[in-house]
Amino acid sequence: MYAYDEIDRTLVNERVSEFRDQVKRRLSGELTEDEFKILRLQNGVYLQLHAYMFRVAIPYGTLSAGQLRRLAHIARRYDRGYGHFTTRQNIQFNWIKLAELPDALADLAEVGIHAMQTSGNNMRNVTSDQWAGVAPGEIEDPRIWSELLRQHTTLHPEFSFLPRKFKIAITASDHDRAAIKIHDIGLRLVKNEKGETGFEVLVGGGLGRTPFIAKTIKHFVHGRDILSYVEAILRVYNQYGRRDNIYKARIKILVHELGIEKFSREVEDEWQHIRNSALQIDDSVIEDIRSRFTYPAYEKLPHMPDELRQAAADPEFEAWRKNSVFPHKIQGYSIVTISLKPTGGPPGDATAAQMDALADLAEKYSFGEIRVGHEQNLALPHVAKRDLPALWKALDKLGLATPNVNLITDIIACPGLDYCSLANARSIPIAQELTRRFANHELANLIGRLHINISGCINACGHHHVGHIGILGVEKNGEEVYQITIGGRADESAALGSLIGPGVKFDEVADVVEDIVEAYLALRERPEELFIDTVKRLGVEPFKERVYATR
Ligand code: HEM
Ligand code: SF4
């Protein structure tokens, strides 16, 4: 966990009083909705279909038990008893009342949580691997660098009014769990030949109307230069990024239009001006941040404790363990993913009661720490293997032990027409239907790893472009129609999916997915060949034929 200092606490508290005054002036009519809009956006407040929506940042996806309890309190006291974990290590509350927002923010500030820069044209919450600091084989805890960037960019005047929102993600593992290639800037921690730590820097990724996979702009930037290098990119973007056309304003368009070579030359020029300035990071700064990340006092534990050996006889426990429990860098410990995708439920939602209970379980079994991943699931990062059977029983009682992590029902979905004012179609009911359709865990396991991502409009909040199967809701002649793509992925081999044919109606989506899955099962060369690999080998044609043969 990271320990905030006095500067952070003061900043967050001052921000709450400032916003309290702004809300007061809006409620009295002194500010019009138009004048208020930019102020509320800077504090994570949107106006949605039915109500205000409030987005709260969870920096690099790390929460303490106390912070999770406070989120439960917000859900219970100011909302309708639940919250929605998003694809960007944020949590959203859908039914918040404007007059109560300052109190909600004040309650959050007490535990070091805020909503600054969770919307608006600024640097958004810097995201990272939800297994940071515990994943075996990572170069270094990427949160140290996420935190450095967080401190540098929070309320940074030069980056508070960018042409458009700006997202950075950082990973330090070979397997990319932070989806860095679909971010404006993706950073991958690497070591050079001298053994020094630095970054491969990628730029210009993003989804939405015009999706792009990020390109590498530099193979190695030394850790001490990372702020100046990121700042050079942002300066070039700030200067050249389109402000006249919202659809062309993201850095991905600039990179595309200039070409990566020209863009990188511009960045290089800018960088030479600033790299030896105060932006060069002193080792002591990194040391200070590193020292604020504390790790639990792990015990020396056996690799295979008796408790685990005995529990292995229970097929239900084994089904859960197989999909939810992952290797930890310390022997005798595991990382446990908690699926927020129960059969028939809205993906990513957790009730206040579940959040409270999870906070208790985190204290009991995970040194009081919880993680939030971009797949809209949670994780307990330090569970002793001997505790796995007891944890599983407790999770099961809470409805949080669905054994479907990384399987076909572990669906990413945006809120769609159920909440979002920009939506063209429903997303949540499609996800719910699919989880019912594939509720048979044996079948889901037979299919293996398969990610379905659903968005209710081209803004792509549900990451549909990078779903192994992507589902995009569009509107045609007043009707909801869904376009299906296959072959997308968001990991280290990130790719955009290909459209398989004309859109299909709401009622047909689950049948189409079933057809695709049946085609895959028939086409795969062996059970270990994953859906995504079969698509890579064969292209979309055989799937297209199967889906449209009878339609
Ligand atoms: C309900 C309120 C929401 C609104 C009004 C909203 C609005 C938008 C808009 C306008 C874009 C397009 C940005 C662009 O192309 O520049 C976008 C993209 C995105 N949103 Fe949302 N969103 C909402 C909820 C969510 C939720 C619930 C999630 C996560 C489940 C999410 C995560 C994202 C992500 C990951 C993108 C990716 C596209 C990218 O920037 O590369 N948003 N959103
Ligand atoms: S993808 Fe569209 S419908 Fe879904 S949350 Fe984003 S803006 Fe709303």
Side-chain angles (χ1 to χ4, degrees):
M1 289 295 300
Y2 183 75
Y4 281 90
D5 62 13
E6 209 37 58
I7 300 173
D8 281 301
R9 280 191 287 273
T10 309
L11 184 89
V12 172
N13 285 326
E14 283 177 356
R15 189 67 171 191
V16 175
S17 1
E18 188 184 62
F19 191 55
R20 194 180 287 284
D21 182 57
Q22 291 164 351
V23 169
K24 198 169 108 205
R25 287 189 284 144
R26 171 69 194 113
L27 291 172
S28 71
E30 197 183 321
L31 289 175
T32 64
E33 181 54 37
D34 246 18
E35 287 163 334
F36 181 60
K37 184 174 173 187
I38 182 74
L39 305 173
R40 68 167 158 79
L41 284 180
Q42 298 271 358
N43 288 284
V45 184
Y46 285 82
L47 187 52
Q48 282 304 312
L49 267 189
H50 315 288
Y52 282 101
M53 184 205 87
F54 178 40
R55 183 182 289 157
V56 176
I58 301 167
Y60 29 84
T62 298
L63 279 174
S64 68
Q67 289 173 326
L68 184 58
R69 269 191 204 106
R70 197 53 67 95
L71 293 175
H73 157 81
I74 301 294
R76 191 178 289 120
R77 165 81 181 75
Y78 303 102
D79 209 272
R80 294 191 177 175
Y82 63 95
H84 176 73
F85 288 95
T86 79
T87 47
R88 297 212 70 265
Q89 296 180 325
N90 293 318
I91 181 168
Q92 292 186 175
F93 298 99
N94 287 306
W95 301 98
I96 211 96
K97 290 187 192 71
L98 186 58
E100 293 181 349
L101 255 167
D103 288 343
L105 273 174
D107 291 353
L108 288 173
E110 280 178 5
V111 293
I113 298 185
H114 62 75
M116 278 181 260
Q117 297 183 197
T118 55
S119 52
N121 294 332
N122 48 40
M123 180 81 75
R124 300 292 186 85
N125 189 23
V126 177
T127 54
S128 190
D129 184 349
Q130 70 269 25
W131 295 357
V134 288
E138 72 183 5
I139 298 228
E140 169 164 37
D141 190 334
R143 295 174 302 169
I144 295 163
W145 302 92
S146 318
E147 174 58 23
L148 176 77
L149 280 161
R150 188 194 72 79
Q151 290 181 9
H152 185 66
T153 58
T154 301
L155 303 182
H156 191 310
E158 194 175 341
F159 307 132
S160 293
F161 296 94
L162 291 166
R164 205 64 180 85
K165 60 179 172 180
F166 204 90
K167 303 169 179 177
I168 299 185
I170 308 186
T171 180
S173 292
D174 287 342
H175 180 54
D176 175 11
R177 279 171 294 267
I180 64 166
K181 291 191 177 174
I182 53 167
H183 282 76
D184 297 292
I185 292 181
L187 298 175
R188 195 167 73 85
L189 269 155
V190 289
K191 289 237 190 252
N192 67 6
E193 336 53 84
K194 288 191 217 145
E196 295 164 323
T197 303
F199 294 89
E200 177 188 353
V201 181
L202 295 94
V203 73
L207 303 177
R209 181 181 295 255
T210 322
F212 282 108
I213 299 296
K215 297 179 185 69
T216 298
I217 178 172
K218 213 162 173 68
H219 289 281
F220 189 84
V221 174
H222 198 285
R224 66 174 165 262
D225 296 323
I226 195 63
L227 278 190
S228 60
Y229 195 77
V230 164
E231 186 135 343
I233 294 177
L234 274 153
R235 284 185 176 190
V236 172
Y237 172 53
N238 216 357
Q239 190 178 352
Y240 295 111
R242 297 268 301 257
R243 289 174 197 267
D244 59 327
N245 181 340
I246 188 174
Y247 302 118
K248 300 204 166 181
R250 297 284 296 272
I251 195 172
K252 61 189 174 183
I253 306 287
L254 180 65
V255 171
H256 178 69
E257 288 187 350
L258 284 183
I260 187 77
E261 287 78 24
K262 182 151 185 347
F263 182 81
S264 64
R265 274 200 304 279
E266 293 280 344
V267 171
E268 201 65 32
D269 277 358
E270 184 62 38
W271 190 38
Q272 294 314 326
H273 289 123
I274 58 175
R275 82 182 273 195
N276 296 320
S277 66
L279 287 172
Q280 192 171 80
I281 313 158
D282 207 66
D283 284 347
S284 63
V285 172
I286 293 298
E287 271 322 306
D288 180 55
I289 294 179
R290 189 176 279 128
S291 70
R292 287 169 178 279
F293 278 101
T294 51
Y295 300 91
Y298 297 111
E299 291 172 68
K300 238 179 142 32
L301 296 175
H303 173 63
M304 182 46 94
D306 291 343
E307 291 87 342
L308 197 54
R309 218 186 296 271
Q310 283 152 17
D314 180 343
E316 282 195 50
F317 170 76
E318 273 301 281
W320 172 81
R321 189 195 57 79
K322 195 167 150 257
N323 292 319
S324 307
V325 178
F326 299 91
H328 194 284
K329 67 176 185 188
I330 307 289
Q331 175 181 296
Y333 288 86
S334 296
I335 305 167
V336 173
T337 299
I338 293 157
S339 166
L340 294 182
K341 322 287 177 67
T343 303
D349 276 11
T351 64
Q354 283 176 327
M355 287 190 253
D356 271 339
L358 259 177
D360 293 348
L361 288 178
E363 272 170 353
K364 200 163 171 191
Y365 297 120
S366 184
F367 298 92
E369 203 174 317
I370 303 99
R371 303 290 180 85
V372 185
H374 85 268
E375 298 89 352
Q376 301 183 282
N377 287 325
L378 303 179
L380 295 181
H382 328 274
V383 182
K385 285 182 171 177
R386 60 163 183 239
D387 294 332
L388 286 169
L391 173 64
W392 168 66
K393 277 196 189 118
L395 288 172
D396 196 32
K397 273 201 198 120
L398 298 168
L400 291 170
T402 317
N404 64 347
V405 174
N406 288 325
L407 299 182
I408 190 164
T409 51
D410 185 359
I411 295 170
I412 293 177
C414 81
L417 255 187
D418 290 82
Y419 298 99
C420 179
S421 55
L422 304 175
N424 290 321
R426 287 168 288 171
S427 307
I428 294 172
I430 296 269
Q432 288 170 308
E433 176 56 21
L434 285 168
T435 60
R436 284 186 211 106
R437 203 59 87 91
F438 292 96
N440 179 333
H441 295 307
E442 263 170 52
L443 173 63
N445 275 296
L446 181 80
I447 298 165
R449 192 177 182 116
L450 202 168
H451 296 297
I452 298 183
N453 296 1
I454 310 171
S455 303
C457 81
I458 53 167
N459 288 319
C461 302
H463 287 190
H464 63 277
H465 299 106
V466 287
H468 296 174
I469 298 179
I471 302 175
L472 164 65
V474 294
E475 194 234 74
K476 217 172 164 189
N477 307 326
E479 230 190 316
E480 292 163 292
V481 172
Y482 294 84
Q483 295 180 345
I484 315 286
T485 51
I486 62 173
R489 59 197 296 174
D491 56 9
E492 60 284 358
S493 313
L496 303 171
S498 311
L499 195 63
I500 61 164
V504 299
K505 294 199 176 122
F506 180 87
D507 293 335
E508 294 174 313
V509 175
D511 292 342
V512 167
V513 172
E514 254 180 14
D515 285 350
I516 293 173
V517 167
E518 279 170 18
Y520 155 64
L521 291 175
L523 290 164
R524 70 181 178 189
E525 283 182 328
R526 51 210 149 73
E528 301 78 46
E529 187 180 51
L530 298 180
F531 172 75
I532 188 73
D533 296 325
T534 307
V535 175
K536 197 169 172 196
R537 181 166 57 81
L538 296 173
V540 300
E541 241 5 85
F543 297 93
K544 187 174 178 167
E545 270 167 33
R546 173 64 187 251
V547 169
Y548 292 99
T550 52
R551 286 193 175 81

